[in-house]
Amino acid sequence: MRFDRLWRGKLLRSAGAFTVMAGLMLGAPLVEAKTFRMAFQGNLNTLDPYTINETFTHAMNGSYYEGLTRRGPDLKIIPGLAERWELVEPTRWRFHLRKNVKFHGGEAFTADDVLFSAERIRQPNSDLKARIPADAQFVKVDDFTVDVVLKTPNPILIADWDTFYIMSKAWTEKNNATEVVSAKATTPGFTTLNANGTGAFTVVSHQPGVKTVLKANPDWWNTAAKSHNLTEVVFTPIANDATRVAALLSGEVDWADPIPPQDQERVNSSPATSMLAGPETRTIYLGMDQMRDKLVPPAEVPGDKNPFKDIRVRKAMFLAIDEDAIASRIMRGLARPSALMIDPNLVDKYGKDFVRPKSDPAQSEKLFDEAGYPRVGGAQGTRFTVGLDCPNDRYVNDAAICQAVIGMLARVGVKVVPIIQPRAQYFAKILAGGGYNSNFYLLGWTPGTNDSHNVLAQIVGCRDEKGSGGRGVANVAGYCNPKIEELAQKVLVETNTDVRAGLVRDAWKILIDDWGYIPLHQQALAWGISKKVKMAQRPDNIVMLYHVQLAD
């Protein structure tokens, strides 16, 4: 069944009720405070807001930290710690900060904290350095006014800033925590286990892999307009799908993510629970190392070369994978096959013009042969061997997708060794600190700006080997095309929407013709909730605890 029909269909019988809930949310009277219990398939490994660029971590950190901007349930940018901003000059933004805002530790929020955070987030160990252009200069005008000066115009500067969380300069320095803790670190740092933000909740306790407890912040600057009625939030990681679903159905938790496709009907049929499901802006994709001259173990390649540097091999890999089968069988119709490395709905004007090529194993085999990688040992022989890095607790059916890909590639003679790990070890291996230690990998990406430039810069963009500018920060593959680089820079500064749309279209066309990546699909959101819960579901999968209400 097609994804869009299913999105409107039986698994979303609760959608109408959800619409009512979302509409009532802001105006509903607050009821007696409640404890909201959450279960996610992975751990919350750090409270440091700059350690890892990962959606669930951003969502949790956004409960106690805040940015200069926020996003509403409709993803529109709204004021956060900056009550307003203006473009003073084409290359100068001015931010007017809120007064009388306190960090949880009692420190006053001022411009000094913004300048400090802007420097800290751009450290080498930060996984979020791309949030701020490398050439951006933060200037303190006064205690509650900050200018950001650029070398060239940037009309989308703040589109990624809702997860550029502001830290207390005094608190961080007092606790010798000015250095960002790398996701590779084997010993937790102070900011791994402790947080001090300005947000709606404070951290009571954090036991990575076990439990995290938050409590409502009675001194939150936005308390008068708050729409949640929670006094406590308890998060527990539950890796096993069946256990997580059982916890929701039994009432042990009020929110669970993800609910596997095969269990969604059961959750939606329960008198106590329902599904919140819909299209997500995240794209699941496969990347191939195009940087190294020789692949790292467990790869075994005749001639000791990197086959992915050959466009014929990349195209052969793409055509060997049957995404339609993955979407229908593994995802049970709850995925939309994609031709692009971004949700086409986020591509101005031309997004729907791109069509994903159909799987063609026969053509794939011919391309491998032409590239000089024949089967060794007869018609069923192996062309080469490569490892596939994959998480087993991050995306919907991630490990199952990888196993399906392994089988599809085996049919065309490529032996793939599964390297399947929990997301903490997975992200530490392939992303943290610019490690990029993978030859072939599955990853998901939600563009924080909801704009093509985010993907063109951070995934497709050539790596900034100095590690300071943020370009290519998530480019594990090492893909680099000067023509796309040139277009991406023009996209960044272009203010004419029609011209910009054409530039974006051209960049995507070049990437597709180069077979630089293997986009798979946009997965569906799959939250299971108690019917006592009223909450909004953002398409970027960010859970906003400050908008959650629990009925009696």
Side-chain angles (χ1 to χ4, degrees):
M1 183 179 295
R2 286 181 53 205
F3 170 78
D4 55 352
R5 292 213 318 264
L6 198 49
W7 147 238
R8 290 189 291 264
K10 62 181 181 179
L11 292 183
L12 295 176
R13 290 196 299 267
S14 60
F18 164 65
T19 302
V20 173
M21 289 190 293
L24 291 175
M25 181 179 59
L26 297 179
L30 299 181
V31 296
E32 182 181 354
K34 301 290 183 181
T35 295
F36 182 59
R37 303 183 184 278
M38 309 171 63
F40 181 63
Q41 64 181 350
N43 296 327
L44 176 62
N45 294 301
T46 181
L47 303 185
D48 191 313
Y50 309 151
T51 292
I52 186 167
N53 186 15
E54 188 263 333
T55 300
F56 183 74
T57 303
H58 292 327
M60 290 299 293
N61 283 343
S63 302
Y64 30 90
Y65 283 109
E66 296 177 294
L68 296 180
T69 69
R70 295 187 293 161
R71 285 189 185 271
D74 57 0
L75 298 186
K76 288 183 179 179
I77 298 172
I78 58 177
L81 291 178
E83 59 184 8
R84 60 186 176 91
W85 49 87
E86 57 195 318
L87 199 58
V88 179
E89 302 168 1
T91 57
R92 181 183 291 267
W93 292 67
R94 176 160 293 172
F95 295 86
H96 301 273
L97 310 182
R98 294 188 186 277
K99 299 177 181 179
N100 302 315
V101 174
K102 298 284 188 180
F103 287 93
H104 300 153
E107 304 86 353
F109 163 66
T110 69
D112 292 332
D113 301 304
V114 176
L115 269 62
F116 168 78
S117 298
E119 290 302 313
R120 190 176 189 271
I121 200 173
R122 288 186 282 188
Q123 290 180 12
N125 280 341
S126 169
D127 200 28
L128 279 80
K129 60 178 68 70
R131 292 292 188 271
I132 301 174
D135 64 353
Q137 181 184 5
F138 283 66
V139 179
K140 177 180 176 180
V141 178
D142 57 43
D143 282 346
F144 296 99
T145 311
V146 172
D147 280 2
V148 180
V149 183
L150 308 169
K151 291 185 177 179
T152 57
N154 183 342
I156 59 171
L157 175 72
I158 63 172
D160 220 7
W161 279 18
D162 54 305
T163 52
F164 162 32
Y165 297 133
I166 305 301
M167 303 183 70
S168 164
K169 180 177 186 291
W171 175 82
T172 311
E173 291 178 343
K174 175 183 176 181
N175 291 288
N176 299 314
T178 56
E179 294 297 317
V180 176
V181 181
S182 170
K184 291 181 178 179
T186 55
T187 302
F190 182 81
T191 51
T192 306
L193 303 174
N194 298 274
N196 181 33
T198 58
F201 295 87
T202 63
V203 178
V204 176
S205 62
H206 175 56
Q207 300 170 274
V210 181
K211 184 169 68 172
T212 301
V213 179
L214 314 178
K215 70 175 181 180
N217 174 17
D219 299 319
W220 187 34
W221 60 267
N222 201 34
T223 293
K226 74 175 184 179
S227 57
H228 79 82
N229 68 342
L230 310 178
T231 54
E232 184 180 52
V233 176
V234 178
F235 162 65
T236 306
I238 303 179
N240 182 270
D241 287 342
T243 304
R244 189 168 59 254
V245 172
L248 176 68
L249 293 172
S250 68
E252 182 181 346
V253 300
D254 306 300
W255 176 93
D257 179 43
I259 303 299
Q262 63 270 21
D263 292 317
Q264 293 188 14
E265 179 63 31
R266 186 156 59 106
V267 168
N268 223 30
S269 299
S270 167
T273 61
S274 63
M275 288 298 304
L276 285 185
E280 186 178 6
T281 55
R282 184 190 314 276
T283 299
I284 306 298
Y285 67 93
L286 294 164
M288 300 163 283
D289 182 356
Q290 295 156 63
M291 179 69 76
R292 295 178 177 87
D293 292 325
K294 177 182 177 181
L295 299 184
V296 298
E300 296 180 9
V301 183
D304 235 10
K305 297 184 297 183
N306 179 350
F308 299 139
K309 288 193 171 187
D310 191 316
I311 188 173
R312 294 168 296 184
V313 171
R314 299 196 298 271
K315 182 176 180 180
M317 295 285 285
F318 191 114
L319 294 178
I321 295 169
D322 188 347
E323 166 55 29
D324 288 340
I326 291 173
S328 62
R329 299 172 191 171
I330 305 299
M331 301 300 291
R332 300 199 178 195
L334 294 174
R336 180 175 53 211
S338 182
L340 298 173
M341 291 288 288
I342 188 172
D343 183 340
N345 293 310
L346 301 180
V347 180
D348 292 341
K349 198 172 183 178
Y350 299 108
K352 301 296 178 63
D353 291 352
F354 296 95
V355 178
R356 195 180 200 284
K358 295 293 183 182
S359 176
D360 189 342
Q363 177 66 9
S364 174
E365 297 240 26
K366 290 179 182 179
L367 287 165
F368 279 125
D369 290 340
E370 290 173 8
Y373 296 97
R375 290 180 182 266
V376 177
Q380 302 303 314
T382 298
R383 302 177 188 277
F384 58 82
T385 300
V386 66
L388 172 59
D389 286 288
C390 184
N392 61 6
D393 61 354
R394 179 58 195 96
Y395 312 115
V396 178
N397 287 345
D398 41 17
I401 293 170
C402 288
Q403 293 291 354
V405 167
I406 290 170
M408 292 168 183
L409 289 170
R411 289 198 290 269
V412 297
V414 177
K415 181 180 178 181
V416 180
V417 178
I419 308 170
I420 300 175
Q421 304 180 87
R423 81 193 220 282
Q425 292 91 331
Y426 169 78
F427 283 123
K429 176 183 179 181
I430 74 165
L431 277 178
Y436 310 128
N437 295 313
S438 181
N439 294 146
F440 186 38
Y441 59 93
L442 179 135
L443 194 61
W445 188 262
T446 303
T449 59
N450 294 313
D451 184 85
S452 287
H453 182 268
N454 174 275
V455 183
L456 294 174
Q458 297 193 38
I459 297 178
V460 180
C462 301
R463 289 182 194 161
D464 173 12
E465 298 298 337
K466 295 180 181 179
S468 59
R471 286 198 61 77
V473 69
N475 184 353
V476 182
Y479 177 83
C480 183
N481 189 313
K483 293 180 180 178
I484 296 179
E485 289 289 289
E486 181 181 352
L487 286 168
Q489 184 56 41
K490 291 179 179 178
V491 168
L492 179 63
V493 301
E494 182 57 61
T495 57
N496 183 295
T497 55
D498 288 337
V499 173
R500 192 175 192 272
L503 295 170
V504 167
R505 174 201 56 202
D506 293 346
W508 287 128
K509 182 67 166 57
I510 292 171
L511 181 65
I512 288 172
D513 290 345
D514 212 12
W515 304 92
Y517 285 88
I518 306 175
L520 295 176
H521 55 252
Q522 281 84 45
Q523 67 182 25
L525 292 166
W527 298 359
I529 63 169
S530 163
K531 288 186 176 178
K532 297 185 299 182
V533 173
K534 297 179 181 180
M535 65 188 303
Q537 183 181 56
R538 281 174 34 171
D540 60 359
N541 209 15
I542 292 284
V543 181
M544 300 178 295
L545 292 175
Y546 49 82
H547 281 331
V548 176
Q549 287 194 22
L550 275 177
D552 291 334

